[in-house]
PDB file of all heavy atoms in Angstrom:
ATOM      1  N   LEU A   1     101.958 103.462 117.522  1.00 88.00           N
ATOM      2  CA  LEU A   1     103.160 102.948 118.190  1.00 88.00           C
ATOM      3  C   LEU A   1     104.123 102.280 117.211  1.00 88.00           C
ATOM      4  O   LEU A   1     105.330 102.296 117.413  1.00 88.00           O
ATOM      5  CB  LEU A   1     102.785 101.957 119.292  1.00 88.00           C
ATOM      6  CG  LEU A   1     102.119 102.537 120.531  1.00 88.00           C
ATOM      7  CD1 LEU A   1     101.754 101.415 121.491  1.00 88.00           C
ATOM      8  CD2 LEU A   1     103.020 103.556 121.209  1.00 88.00           C
ATOM      9  N   ASN A   2     103.592 101.690 116.161  1.00 89.00           N
ATOM     10  CA  ASN A   2     104.415 100.989 115.175  1.00 89.00           C
ATOM     11  C   ASN A   2     104.690 101.838 113.938  1.00 89.00           C
ATOM     12  O   ASN A   2     105.049 101.310 112.892  1.00 89.00           O
ATOM     13  CB  ASN A   2     103.728  99.683 114.768  1.00 89.00           C
ATOM     14  CG  ASN A   2     103.764  98.677 115.880  1.00 89.00           C
ATOM     15  OD1 ASN A   2     104.811  98.148 116.217  1.00 89.00           O
ATOM     16  ND2 ASN A   2     102.616  98.422 116.488  1.00 89.00           N
ATOM     17  N   ARG A   3     104.554 103.143 114.039  1.00 88.00           N
ATOM     18  CA  ARG A   3     104.680 104.023 112.879  1.00 88.00           C
ATOM     19  C   ARG A   3     106.063 103.991 112.235  1.00 88.00           C
ATOM     20  O   ARG A   3     106.213 104.334 111.080  1.00 88.00           O
ATOM     21  CB  ARG A   3     104.310 105.456 113.250  1.00 88.00           C
ATOM     22  CG  ARG A   3     105.271 106.113 114.216  1.00 88.00           C
ATOM     23  CD  ARG A   3     104.708 107.425 114.742  1.00 88.00           C
ATOM     24  NE  ARG A   3     105.592 108.053 115.705  1.00 88.00           N
ATOM     25  CZ  ARG A   3     105.652 107.748 116.989  1.00 88.00           C
ATOM     26  NH1 ARG A   3     104.867 106.806 117.474  1.00 88.00           N
ATOM     27  NH2 ARG A   3     106.494 108.377 117.792  1.00 88.00           N
ATOM     28  N   GLY A   4     107.092 103.565 112.942  1.00 83.00           N
ATOM     29  CA  GLY A   4     108.434 103.490 112.376  1.00 83.00           C
ATOM     30  C   GLY A   4     108.728 102.166 111.696  1.00 83.00           C
ATOM     31  O   GLY A   4     109.763 102.017 111.049  1.00 83.00           O
ATOM     32  N   GLY A   5     107.842 101.196 111.841  1.00 79.00           N
ATOM     33  CA  GLY A   5     108.085  99.856 111.334  1.00 79.00           C
ATOM     34  C   GLY A   5     107.765  99.720 109.869  1.00 79.00           C
ATOM     35  O   GLY A   5     107.388 100.684 109.216  1.00 79.00           O
ATOM     36  N   PRO A   6     107.958  98.575 109.330  1.00 86.00           N
ATOM     37  CA  PRO A   6     108.338  97.328 109.989  1.00 86.00           C
ATOM     38  C   PRO A   6     109.855  97.209 110.163  1.00 86.00           C
ATOM     39  O   PRO A   6     110.620  97.833 109.451  1.00 86.00           O
ATOM     40  CB  PRO A   6     107.829  96.263 109.031  1.00 86.00           C
ATOM     41  CG  PRO A   6     107.884  96.895 107.683  1.00 86.00           C
ATOM     42  CD  PRO A   6     107.625  98.358 107.919  1.00 86.00           C
ATOM     43  N   GLY A   7     110.229  96.408 111.122  1.00 84.00           N
ATOM     44  CA  GLY A   7     111.644  96.149 111.356  1.00 84.00           C
ATOM     45  C   GLY A   7     112.127  96.721 112.676  1.00 84.00           C
ATOM     46  O   GLY A   7     111.351  97.141 113.530  1.00 84.00           O
ATOM     47  N   GLU A   8     113.438  96.725 112.813  1.00 87.00           N
ATOM     48  CA  GLU A   8     114.055  97.224 114.034  1.00 87.00           C
ATOM     49  C   GLU A   8     114.208  98.744 113.940  1.00 87.00           C
ATOM     50  O   GLU A   8     114.749  99.265 112.969  1.00 87.00           O
ATOM     51  CB  GLU A   8     115.420  96.576 114.247  1.00 87.00           C
ATOM     52  CG  GLU A   8     116.025  96.870 115.577  1.00 87.00           C
ATOM     53  CD  GLU A   8     117.313  96.095 115.812  1.00 87.00           C
ATOM     54  OE1 GLU A   8     118.028  95.808 114.835  1.00 87.00           O
ATOM     55  OE2 GLU A   8     117.588  95.799 116.978  1.00 87.00           O
ATOM     56  N   VAL A   9     113.737  99.444 114.966  1.00 86.00           N
ATOM     57  CA  VAL A   9     113.798 100.893 115.005  1.00 86.00           C
ATOM     58  C   VAL A   9     114.601 101.292 116.241  1.00 86.00           C
ATOM     59  O   VAL A   9     114.302 100.845 117.350  1.00 86.00           O
ATOM     60  CB  VAL A   9     112.384 101.512 115.060  1.00 86.00           C
ATOM     61  CG1 VAL A   9     112.448 103.020 115.160  1.00 86.00           C
ATOM     62  CG2 VAL A   9     111.580 101.078 113.851  1.00 86.00           C
ATOM     63  N   CYS A  10     115.616 102.138 116.036  1.00 86.00           N
ATOM     64  CA  CYS A  10     116.489 102.558 117.130  1.00 86.00           C
ATOM     65  C   CYS A  10     116.312 104.049 117.406  1.00 86.00           C
ATOM     66  O   CYS A  10     116.108 104.846 116.486  1.00 86.00           O
ATOM     67  CB  CYS A  10     117.947 102.273 116.782  1.00 86.00           C
ATOM     68  SG  CYS A  10     118.278 100.514 116.551  1.00 86.00           S
ATOM     69  N   HIS A  11     116.364 104.409 118.687  1.00 83.00           N
ATOM     70  CA  HIS A  11     116.250 105.796 119.132  1.00 83.00           C
ATOM     71  C   HIS A  11     117.410 106.090 120.071  1.00 83.00           C
ATOM     72  O   HIS A  11     117.823 105.231 120.866  1.00 83.00           O
ATOM     73  CB  HIS A  11     114.933 106.054 119.870  1.00 83.00           C
ATOM     74  CG  HIS A  11     113.720 105.778 119.040  1.00 83.00           C
ATOM     75  ND1 HIS A  11     113.264 106.641 118.091  1.00 83.00           N
ATOM     76  CD2 HIS A  11     112.867 104.714 119.038  1.00 83.00           C
ATOM     77  CE1 HIS A  11     112.191 106.141 117.524  1.00 83.00           C
ATOM     78  NE2 HIS A  11     111.926 104.962 118.076  1.00 83.00           N
ATOM     79  N   ALA A  12     117.922 107.316 119.999  1.00 85.00           N
ATOM     80  CA  ALA A  12     118.992 107.736 120.894  1.00 85.00           C
ATOM     81  C   ALA A  12     118.426 107.985 122.284  1.00 85.00           C
ATOM     82  O   ALA A  12     117.384 108.614 122.445  1.00 85.00           O
ATOM     83  CB  ALA A  12     119.659 108.995 120.360  1.00 85.00           C
ATOM     84  N   VAL A  13     119.087 107.463 123.276  1.00 87.00           N
ATOM     85  CA  VAL A  13     118.744 107.685 124.676  1.00 87.00           C
ATOM     86  C   VAL A  13     120.029 108.095 125.391  1.00 87.00           C
ATOM     87  O   VAL A  13     121.123 107.833 124.883  1.00 87.00           O
ATOM     88  CB  VAL A  13     118.124 106.422 125.331  1.00 87.00           C
ATOM     89  CG1 VAL A  13     116.796 106.086 124.707  1.00 87.00           C
ATOM     90  CG2 VAL A  13     119.058 105.246 125.267  1.00 87.00           C
ATOM     91  N   PRO A  14     119.917 108.725 126.540  1.00 90.00           N
ATOM     92  CA  PRO A  14     121.150 109.090 127.265  1.00 90.00           C
ATOM     93  C   PRO A  14     122.000 107.856 127.549  1.00 90.00           C
ATOM     94  O   PRO A  14     121.521 106.866 128.097  1.00 90.00           O
ATOM     95  CB  PRO A  14     120.639 109.705 128.565  1.00 90.00           C
ATOM     96  CG  PRO A  14     119.249 110.162 128.255  1.00 90.00           C
ATOM     97  CD  PRO A  14     118.732 109.212 127.218  1.00 90.00           C
ATOM     98  N   GLY A  15     123.227 107.893 127.092  1.00 87.00           N
ATOM     99  CA  GLY A  15     124.141 106.778 127.335  1.00 87.00           C
ATOM    100  C   GLY A  15     124.125 105.721 126.246  1.00 87.00           C
ATOM    101  O   GLY A  15     124.660 104.634 126.437  1.00 87.00           O
ATOM    102  N   GLY A  16     123.495 105.959 125.105  1.00 87.00           N
ATOM    103  CA  GLY A  16     123.492 104.968 124.033  1.00 87.00           C
ATOM    104  C   GLY A  16     122.260 105.060 123.165  1.00 87.00           C
ATOM    105  O   GLY A  16     121.766 106.143 122.869  1.00 87.00           O
ATOM    106  N   GLN A  17     121.746 103.892 122.804  1.00 88.00           N
ATOM    107  CA  GLN A  17     120.543 103.842 121.990  1.00 88.00           C
ATOM    108  C   GLN A  17     119.662 102.691 122.422  1.00 88.00           C
ATOM    109  O   GLN A  17     120.125 101.728 123.012  1.00 88.00           O
ATOM    110  CB  GLN A  17     120.878 103.736 120.509  1.00 88.00           C
ATOM    111  CG  GLN A  17     121.535 102.461 120.069  1.00 88.00           C
ATOM    112  CD  GLN A  17     121.812 102.455 118.582  1.00 88.00           C
ATOM    113  OE1 GLN A  17     121.519 103.405 117.880  1.00 88.00           O
ATOM    114  NE2 GLN A  17     122.387 101.372 118.091  1.00 88.00           N
ATOM    115  N   SER A  18     118.396 102.820 122.107  1.00 89.00           N
ATOM    116  CA  SER A  18     117.419 101.795 122.439  1.00 89.00           C
ATOM    117  C   SER A  18     116.760 101.341 121.142  1.00 89.00           C
ATOM    118  O   SER A  18     116.289 102.165 120.361  1.00 89.00           O
ATOM    119  CB  SER A  18     116.370 102.380 123.390  1.00 89.00           C
ATOM    120  OG  SER A  18     115.316 101.467 123.573  1.00 89.00           O
ATOM    121  N   CYS A  19     116.739 100.052 120.920  1.00 87.00           N
ATOM    122  CA  CYS A  19     116.160  99.503 119.694  1.00 87.00           C
ATOM    123  C   CYS A  19     114.964  98.607 120.034  1.00 87.00           C
ATOM    124  O   CYS A  19     114.998  97.859 121.009  1.00 87.00           O
ATOM    125  CB  CYS A  19     117.200  98.693 118.929  1.00 87.00           C
ATOM    126  SG  CYS A  19     118.609  99.671 118.359  1.00 87.00           S
ATOM    127  N   THR A  20     113.940  98.724 119.226  1.00 86.00           N
ATOM    128  CA  THR A  20     112.759  97.876 119.375  1.00 86.00           C
ATOM    129  C   THR A  20     112.365  97.332 118.012  1.00 86.00           C
ATOM    130  O   THR A  20     112.637  97.942 116.979  1.00 86.00           O
ATOM    131  CB  THR A  20     111.557  98.662 119.954  1.00 86.00           C
ATOM    132  OG1 THR A  20     111.269  99.761 119.110  1.00 86.00           O
ATOM    133  CG2 THR A  20     111.832  99.151 121.355  1.00 86.00           C
ATOM    134  N   ASP A  21     111.717  96.192 118.031  1.00 87.00           N
ATOM    135  CA  ASP A  21     111.202  95.589 116.809  1.00 87.00           C
ATOM    136  C   ASP A  21     109.758  96.059 116.639  1.00 87.00           C
ATOM    137  O   ASP A  21     108.941  95.884 117.550  1.00 87.00           O
ATOM    138  CB  ASP A  21     111.250  94.068 116.930  1.00 87.00           C
ATOM    139  CG  ASP A  21     111.685  93.388 115.662  1.00 87.00           C
ATOM    140  OD1 ASP A  21     112.070  94.097 114.729  1.00 87.00           O
ATOM    141  OD2 ASP A  21     111.631  92.146 115.621  1.00 87.00           O
ATOM    142  N   GLU A  22     109.444  96.659 115.508  1.00 85.00           N
ATOM    143  CA  GLU A  22     108.099  97.171 115.275  1.00 85.00           C
ATOM    144  C   GLU A  22     107.465  96.461 114.094  1.00 85.00           C
ATOM    145  O   GLU A  22     108.151  96.003 113.184  1.00 85.00           O
ATOM    146  CB  GLU A  22     108.131  98.685 115.028  1.00 85.00           C
ATOM    147  CG  GLU A  22     108.559  99.472 116.244  1.00 85.00           C
ATOM    148  CD  GLU A  22     108.461 100.967 116.046  1.00 85.00           C
ATOM    149  OE1 GLU A  22     108.018 101.415 114.972  1.00 85.00           O
ATOM    150  OE2 GLU A  22     108.831 101.693 116.983  1.00 85.00           O
ATOM    151  N   TYR A  23     106.138  96.372 114.153  1.00 88.00           N
ATOM    152  CA  TYR A  23     105.363  95.760 113.083  1.00 88.00           C
ATOM    153  C   TYR A  23     104.997  96.801 112.038  1.00 88.00           C
ATOM    154  O   TYR A  23     105.121  98.003 112.262  1.00 88.00           O
ATOM    155  CB  TYR A  23     104.086  95.131 113.639  1.00 88.00           C
ATOM    156  CG  TYR A  23     104.338  94.034 114.644  1.00 88.00           C
ATOM    157  CD1 TYR A  23     104.114  94.247 115.986  1.00 88.00           C
ATOM    158  CD2 TYR A  23     104.803  92.799 114.220  1.00 88.00           C
ATOM    159  CE1 TYR A  23     104.344  93.247 116.912  1.00 88.00           C
ATOM    160  CE2 TYR A  23     105.034  91.787 115.134  1.00 88.00           C
ATOM    161  CZ  TYR A  23     104.809  92.009 116.475  1.00 88.00           C
ATOM    162  OH  TYR A  23     105.040  91.025 117.381  1.00 88.00           O
ATOM    163  N   MET A  24     104.460  96.347 110.932  1.00 89.00           N
ATOM    164  CA  MET A  24     103.939  97.265 109.922  1.00 89.00           C
ATOM    165  C   MET A  24     102.645  97.880 110.459  1.00 89.00           C
ATOM    166  O   MET A  24     101.742  97.162 110.881  1.00 89.00           O
ATOM    167  CB  MET A  24     103.679  96.513 108.619  1.00 89.00           C
ATOM    168  CG  MET A  24     103.123  97.369 107.510  1.00 89.00           C
ATOM    169  SD  MET A  24     102.843  96.425 106.020  1.00 89.00           S
ATOM    170  CE  MET A  24     104.373  96.719 105.190  1.00 89.00           C
ATOM    171  N   PRO A  25     102.527  99.209 110.453  1.00 90.00           N
ATOM    172  CA  PRO A  25     101.348  99.840 111.052  1.00 90.00           C
ATOM    173  C   PRO A  25     100.091  99.777 110.189  1.00 90.00           C
ATOM    174  O   PRO A  25      98.980  99.942 110.699  1.00 90.00           O
ATOM    175  CB  PRO A  25     101.792 101.299 111.229  1.00 90.00           C
ATOM    176  CG  PRO A  25     102.838 101.500 110.205  1.00 90.00           C
ATOM    177  CD  PRO A  25     103.533 100.177 110.043  1.00 90.00           C
ATOM    178  N   VAL A  26     100.238  99.508 108.903  1.00 91.00           N
ATOM    179  CA  VAL A  26      99.096  99.568 107.985  1.00 91.00           C
ATOM    180  C   VAL A  26      97.974  98.590 108.357  1.00 91.00           C
ATOM    181  O   VAL A  26      96.799  98.978 108.346  1.00 91.00           O
ATOM    182  CB  VAL A  26      99.565  99.382 106.526  1.00 91.00           C
ATOM    183  CG1 VAL A  26      98.384  99.325 105.568  1.00 91.00           C
ATOM    184  CG2 VAL A  26     100.519 100.503 106.132  1.00 91.00           C
ATOM    185  N   PRO A  27      98.251  97.346 108.702  1.00 92.00           N
ATOM    186  CA  PRO A  27      97.137  96.451 109.064  1.00 92.00           C
ATOM    187  C   PRO A  27      96.330  96.948 110.269  1.00 92.00           C
ATOM    188  O   PRO A  27      95.102  96.834 110.290  1.00 92.00           O
ATOM    189  CB  PRO A  27      97.815  95.115 109.385  1.00 92.00           C
ATOM    190  CG  PRO A  27      99.101  95.159 108.642  1.00 92.00           C
ATOM    191  CD  PRO A  27      99.516  96.595 108.642  1.00 92.00           C
ATOM    192  N   PHE A  28      97.009  97.513 111.262  1.00 92.00           N
ATOM    193  CA  PHE A  28      96.294  98.048 112.421  1.00 92.00           C
ATOM    194  C   PHE A  28      95.431  99.236 112.014  1.00 92.00           C
ATOM    195  O   PHE A  28      94.297  99.383 112.471  1.00 92.00           O
ATOM    196  CB  PHE A  28      97.283  98.486 113.512  1.00 92.00           C
ATOM    197  CG  PHE A  28      98.095  97.363 114.082  1.00 92.00           C
ATOM    198  CD1 PHE A  28      99.461  97.314 113.875  1.00 92.00           C
ATOM    199  CD2 PHE A  28      97.504  96.365 114.827  1.00 92.00           C
ATOM    200  CE1 PHE A  28     100.222  96.294 114.389  1.00 92.00           C
ATOM    201  CE2 PHE A  28      98.251  95.326 115.361  1.00 92.00           C
ATOM    202  CZ  PHE A  28      99.620  95.290 115.142  1.00 92.00           C
ATOM    203  N   LEU A  29      95.970 100.078 111.150  1.00 93.00           N
ATOM    204  CA  LEU A  29      95.245 101.259 110.687  1.00 93.00           C
ATOM    205  C   LEU A  29      94.018 100.876 109.858  1.00 93.00           C
ATOM    206  O   LEU A  29      92.920 101.400 110.057  1.00 93.00           O
ATOM    207  CB  LEU A  29      96.180 102.151 109.871  1.00 93.00           C
ATOM    208  CG  LEU A  29      95.674 103.523 109.477  1.00 93.00           C
ATOM    209  CD1 LEU A  29      95.364 104.360 110.712  1.00 93.00           C
ATOM    210  CD2 LEU A  29      96.704 104.221 108.607  1.00 93.00           C
ATOM    211  N   VAL A  30      94.191  99.928 108.953  1.00 95.00           N
ATOM    212  CA  VAL A  30      93.078  99.489 108.103  1.00 95.00           C
ATOM    213  C   VAL A  30      92.000  98.796 108.941  1.00 95.00           C
ATOM    214  O   VAL A  30      90.804  99.073 108.785  1.00 95.00           O
ATOM    215  CB  VAL A  30      93.590  98.568 106.974  1.00 95.00           C
ATOM    216  CG1 VAL A  30      92.449  97.888 106.253  1.00 95.00           C
ATOM    217  CG2 VAL A  30      94.451  99.358 106.002  1.00 95.00           C
ATOM    218  N   ALA A  31      92.406  97.916 109.845  1.00 93.00           N
ATOM    219  CA  ALA A  31      91.433  97.224 110.698  1.00 93.00           C
ATOM    220  C   ALA A  31      90.669  98.221 111.570  1.00 93.00           C
ATOM    221  O   ALA A  31      89.444  98.118 111.717  1.00 93.00           O
ATOM    222  CB  ALA A  31      92.140  96.187 111.569  1.00 93.00           C
ATOM    223  N   GLY A  32      91.375  99.194 112.126  1.00 93.00           N
ATOM    224  CA  GLY A  32      90.714 100.212 112.936  1.00 93.00           C
ATOM    225  C   GLY A  32      89.711 101.021 112.135  1.00 93.00           C
ATOM    226  O   GLY A  32      88.603 101.293 112.591  1.00 93.00           O
ATOM    227  N   ALA A  33      90.104 101.409 110.923  1.00 94.00           N
ATOM    228  CA  ALA A  33      89.199 102.198 110.073  1.00 94.00           C
ATOM    229  C   ALA A  33      87.963 101.383 109.699  1.00 94.00           C
ATOM    230  O   ALA A  33      86.838 101.904 109.733  1.00 94.00           O
ATOM    231  CB  ALA A  33      89.931 102.666 108.820  1.00 94.00           C
ATOM    232  N   LEU A  34      88.154 100.119 109.360  1.00 94.00           N
ATOM    233  CA  LEU A  34      87.012  99.276 108.993  1.00 94.00           C
ATOM    234  C   LEU A  34      86.048  99.085 110.159  1.00 94.00           C
ATOM    235  O   LEU A  34      84.825  99.180 109.992  1.00 94.00           O
ATOM    236  CB  LEU A  34      87.504  97.917 108.485  1.00 94.00           C
ATOM    237  CG  LEU A  34      88.152  97.899 107.105  1.00 94.00           C
ATOM    238  CD1 LEU A  34      88.719  96.510 106.801  1.00 94.00           C
ATOM    239  CD2 LEU A  34      87.170  98.333 106.039  1.00 94.00           C
ATOM    240  N   VAL A  35      86.584  98.837 111.335  1.00 91.00           N
ATOM    241  CA  VAL A  35      85.736  98.620 112.505  1.00 91.00           C
ATOM    242  C   VAL A  35      84.997  99.914 112.875  1.00 91.00           C
ATOM    243  O   VAL A  35      83.805  99.886 113.180  1.00 91.00           O
ATOM    244  CB  VAL A  35      86.584  98.096 113.685  1.00 91.00           C
ATOM    245  CG1 VAL A  35      85.810  98.104 114.979  1.00 91.00           C
ATOM    246  CG2 VAL A  35      87.091  96.703 113.388  1.00 91.00           C
ATOM    247  N   LEU A  36      85.690 101.044 112.815  1.00 91.00           N
ATOM    248  CA  LEU A  36      85.058 102.320 113.139  1.00 91.00           C
ATOM    249  C   LEU A  36      83.943 102.656 112.158  1.00 91.00           C
ATOM    250  O   LEU A  36      82.823 103.004 112.558  1.00 91.00           O
ATOM    251  CB  LEU A  36      86.106 103.438 113.137  1.00 91.00           C
ATOM    252  CG  LEU A  36      85.604 104.835 113.470  1.00 91.00           C
ATOM    253  CD1 LEU A  36      85.119 104.902 114.912  1.00 91.00           C
ATOM    254  CD2 LEU A  36      86.704 105.854 113.239  1.00 91.00           C
TER     255      LEU A  36
END
């Protein structure tokens, strides 16, 4: 879900754009790999 981060990521939607703040995905990926 955070693959576009870190920072604000904007996507085109009908009638404008939608922006979300995303985290850096690497910590989630590393933690998941370690736990698995």
